[in-house]
Structure formats: structure tokens, C-alpha cells
Amino acid sequence: MPNQEMLLIPGPTPVVDEIYEALAQETYAHTDPRLVKRFKNSLDMLKRLFNTKGEAFIVAGSGTLSMEMAIVNTVAPGEKLLVISHGFFGDRFIPVAQAHGIQVEVLQPEWGQHIEISAVEEKLAQGGYKAVTVTHVDTSTGVISNLEKLVPAVKKHGVLFILDGVCASAAVEEDMSKEYGHPDYTIDLVLTGSQKAIGVPPGLAIVAFGPKALKAREAMDKVAAYYMDILRWLPTMQDPGKYYATHPVNMIYALEKGMEIVMAEGLEARYKRHASLGRAVRAGLAEYGMKALAAEEVAAPTLSCILYPEGVNDAEFRSKLAAKGMVIAGSLAALAGKAFRIGHMGNVTEEMFVKAMELVGETLTEMGFKADTAKAVETFKTVYRLGLAE
Ligand SMILES: *Cc1c(COP(=O)(O)O)cnc(C)c1O
């Protein structure tokens, strides 16, 4: 097992030994040719992951930094941004944009639901928007956005499409060269972090700018940022040996290893594994009377927000599981105490989730609830294997 603990929160996710070994290697100078080579290799793999004709950026920071980098470099103060929010992380774009004097409009359905495409069309028909943000998987609700519908609805209006992939990248397709029904209907920008489905410890902000997003930045002249300005970073990303700010050297080793693992598995196989795992985890937990907040058609491959059956105490349930070595997360805002969140992404295995099913059953039994553990494990395995064989 990779981690001693089963870290099944929505990120950071379990880190495998090969990545820990990469992290523990000797720290080179941030301009050393050996580091430069590994940096370039990491950038190349990220560009393949996102299939972008633009540029990728790797900067020390968390996913939130990558959100702010995306906004600062595409939307100027006073310009209009439409935020399509499926939960807590979608909403985070509001204060980020407001901090930069951007005018923000928001579309937010009830938690667990999808936004109506007609509402998006209506908003954009008013005109004047520079960009739209969409959170691929909202980590508060476990809802995955429907890119097949959203990309055309947004791009029809010539507006930039910004995708927050923090809880999806490397587990769900995010192909920036894919044409969603028309050559102009493509994702313009994907932002992400290292610690979720990529499976590397937290610490890296990753952003991929497609050609239109790069043009938007070039057309903006100055931006009110220094560390976040992608034009200042660009020469360094083209030649990582050029100093701009010190690279997080050991985290680059870790990212290179993490991306090698992603590429060795193969993107199609990795996407299928996550889709199957998500369905299987929800089906297994349903045997305990635990239902996902999101309907299966809108539920994410990477994490689930699971409602407690009547009477199960959140704090007690999670602390009992933690004592057995399985860590899950509580829920946010109105769902706090009423649901838990379980991550099922990154470098995780079938065995880990068989164990997770068993520990949940054991814990429910200890708390005085009926739980058919054997049935939950069986359902999990059956659904998972059927998914993989599809
Ligand atoms: C985790 C997450 C973030 C925030 O990332 P941090 O690394 O915590 O800053 C943003 N968006 C989504 C969708 C996330 O899941």
C-alpha cells in the first residue's frame, strides 16, 4: 500500500512510493541542466495530457493560485466574467475575480444539480462577457460539468472557456484540441493542481493556456500581478534554465514521476478506470443505504458526496474510520454534518476500495446500524470490473 493511511479525501490523494522516492532525491540547482531536462519533460507530458497547441505553466502554489492565474491573465479589471458554479469551488471564482475589479455574474443551480443550458444561453446573449469559468468536477458536490453541452453554448458567443480541472485532470478527458461540434468550439484554458487525480503531493499550480487564451493575455498589455503574470513566466517555461523565480525542484521530480505514471497507464485506460471506480464506490455504498447527492448521470468519476442515512453522526463516523486508517472528508456549507465526501481518484487501487467498503460496514455495525458488508464488497467489485471490461 502506498500511504500508511488510506487518504480518501478529495485531495491530497495517496502518494505512491515511486513519487516519494523521486521527492527524496538530491536537490539540484534550479538552473541545473539535469533539472531543466526534467522540467521540460514534465511540461511536455502536461501538454500531451491537455492536448494543447498553446503553453503549459508549472508554478509553486496550490490550485487556488492556478485559478487566480487563469483569471488575472485573461480578464481585465472592469470586464465581465460569467461564473458557472456547481458548488463551493465554482463559487471561489467570484471573490478571486472581484479581488481584481472584474464584474462577475453567477449562475448556480441547487447543489447536486446541473445548470440549465438555456440559462447559460440567456446570460451570454446579453453580450459583453470576456470569459466563462466552469469547474469540471465540483469537489463540494461531486457533480461533473457536461462539457459536450457547455463548450458549444459558451463558444458560440466567442467567449473564452476557462476550465477548473483541479479535481478532474488526469482522471477525466480535458482535451483542448477537441472540437465540440465546430472548429472554434474548444476549451481555451485548463487550470489544475498537483495533489488530486495527478496523485502528486500538494504544491504545484499547473495552467495550460490555449492559443486564444494566450492572445487574450497578449492583448491586455499590463496586468496587476508579478508572480502570476504568464508573460513574465513564458521565457522560463520555454527554457526552464532561465531564472525567473526559484523552481520547486523536488516537486518537479515528483511531478515528472507522477506524469510518467499517468502516461504509462494510458489516458484512455486511466479515464475508464476512474469512471468505473466512481460508479462502483457509489453502488457499494448504496448497499449501506448511503446515497450520493448527485444523480448518477451527473456524478463525478473522481469523488462523491454521500448523504448519511438517518441517525448516523458525521463526526463519530469519520473519527471511527480515521482510527482504522481511513480518512474521508466532511461536507461543506449546508451539507455539513449531513454528508461526507470520499475521493476515488489518482493512484488508488481496487484493493483499497474493497478495504474501504469493509471499514465502512464495520464502523456502521459498531455504531449500531445494520450493514451487509459482504454484499457491499460484492457490489463494488462487480460494478468496478464490469466497468473496466466495457
Ligand atoms: C481543491 C480544489 C481547488 C482548490 O485547490 P487548492 O489546491 O486547495 O488551492 C479548486 N478547484 C477545485 C475544483 C478543487 O477541487
Side-chain angles (χ1 to χ4, degrees):
M1 186 149 67
N3 274 28
Q4 293 300 308
E5 224 170 35
M6 292 213 296
L7 191 57
L8 304 184
I9 58 174
T13 58
V15 176
V16 295
D17 284 344
E18 289 161 275
I19 293 177
Y20 281 133
E21 281 157 18
L23 269 172
Q25 287 166 12
E26 181 168 327
T27 302
Y28 295 145
H30 53 289
T31 50
D32 188 299
R34 292 166 296 181
L35 173 70
V36 170
K37 190 162 163 258
R38 299 176 78 166
F39 202 115
K40 280 188 177 157
N41 190 24
S42 304
L43 283 169
D44 284 347
M45 288 188 282
L46 288 172
K47 285 187 193 169
R48 276 198 276 145
L49 172 68
F50 299 122
N51 196 20
T52 180
K53 300 183 182 83
E55 294 285 346
F57 298 82
I58 307 167
V59 174
S62 81
T64 305
L65 178 74
S66 67
M67 292 171 76
E68 193 161 357
M69 277 178 80
I71 298 299
V72 165
N73 288 287
T74 53
V75 189
E79 289 185 325
K80 262 167 76 178
L81 172 74
L82 177 63
V83 170
I84 296 176
S85 174
H86 289 125
F88 181 88
F89 286 97
D91 288 352
R92 181 168 282 189
F93 280 108
I94 303 166
V96 167
Q98 285 171 342
H100 296 280
I102 292 161
Q103 292 184 56
V104 189
E105 292 280 324
V106 190
L107 286 173
Q108 40 196 179
E110 202 181 305
W111 275 28
Q113 311 276 317
H114 257 174
I115 192 74
E116 295 282 346
I117 296 297
S118 59
V120 176
E121 304 258 13
E122 239 168 69
K123 272 277 183 219
L124 292 174
Q126 296 166 2
Y129 287 96
K130 180 75 172 290
V132 170
T133 60
V134 171
T135 309
H136 201 171
V137 171
D138 204 298
T139 320
S140 57
T141 55
V143 168
I144 182 164
S145 292
N146 185 339
L147 298 181
E148 297 292 335
K149 286 188 181 160
L150 284 171
V151 176
V154 169
K155 293 305 297 180
K156 202 155 62 180
H157 297 273
V159 175
L160 288 173
F161 193 101
I162 298 174
L163 187 65
D164 175 349
V166 181
C167 201
S169 305
V172 191
E173 182 186 75
E174 292 174 333
D175 181 338
M176 296 173 73
S177 296
K178 178 169 169 178
E179 296 172 2
Y180 288 83
H182 184 284
D184 289 339
Y185 298 175
T186 55
I187 299 163
D188 297 305
L189 195 162
V190 179
L191 63 103
T192 196
S194 51
Q195 79 273 26
K196 299 199 184 177
I198 298 176
V200 169
L204 297 176
I206 295 164
V207 197
F209 275 65
K212 283 186 197 134
L214 284 170
K215 273 209 195 91
R217 170 62 193 93
E218 281 157 9
M220 280 167 76
D221 188 24
K222 270 191 286 191
V223 295
Y226 181 75
Y227 188 72
M228 285 191 288
D229 185 351
I230 59 149
L231 285 192
R232 293 183 191 265
W233 276 110
L234 200 53
T236 300
M237 293 301 139
Q238 285 160 350
D239 175 5
K242 278 196 184 136
Y243 172 72
Y244 179 57
T246 306
H247 296 310
V249 175
N250 294 57
M251 280 301 293
I252 300 300
Y253 304 161
L255 179 66
E256 183 191 40
K257 182 50 74 184
M259 287 304 300
E260 281 172 359
I261 292 170
V262 169
M263 292 301 172
E265 182 174 4
L267 295 181
E268 286 313 313
R270 199 169 169 98
Y271 299 157
K272 185 183 240 189
R273 174 167 65 80
H274 281 88
S276 309
L277 187 58
R279 284 201 296 269
V281 169
R282 287 184 292 271
L285 291 174
E287 299 287 7
Y288 294 129
M290 294 175 151
K291 273 191 59 193
L293 171 74
E296 198 54 37
E297 310 83 71
V298 303
T302 48
L303 102 146
S304 300
C305 178
I306 306 286
L307 299 163
Y308 284 113
E310 196 61 37
V312 179
N313 180 280
D314 172 48
E316 189 187 354
F317 179 73
R318 285 192 293 121
S319 66
K320 276 184 178 295
L321 277 176
K324 300 178 203 291
M326 172 174 160
V327 186
I328 54 172
S331 274
L332 304 169
L335 288 174
K338 296 184 183 134
F340 66 87
R341 293 175 304 145
I342 180 166
H344 29 78
M345 65 183 139
N347 298 320
V348 290
T349 60
E350 178 178 358
E351 295 73 53
M352 287 177 76
F353 284 90
V354 166
K355 184 81 191 155
M357 292 298 145
E358 289 169 355
L359 292 178
V360 167
E362 210 176 276
T363 302
L364 286 173
T365 307
E366 277 172 27
M367 289 171 73
F369 296 90
K370 268 208 203 116
D372 189 343
T373 303
K375 195 166 177 206
V377 168
E378 190 52 40
T379 299
F380 166 76
K381 279 191 190 165
T382 307
V383 175
Y384 185 56
R385 289 174 187 179
L386 272 176
L388 290 183
E390 250 171 33

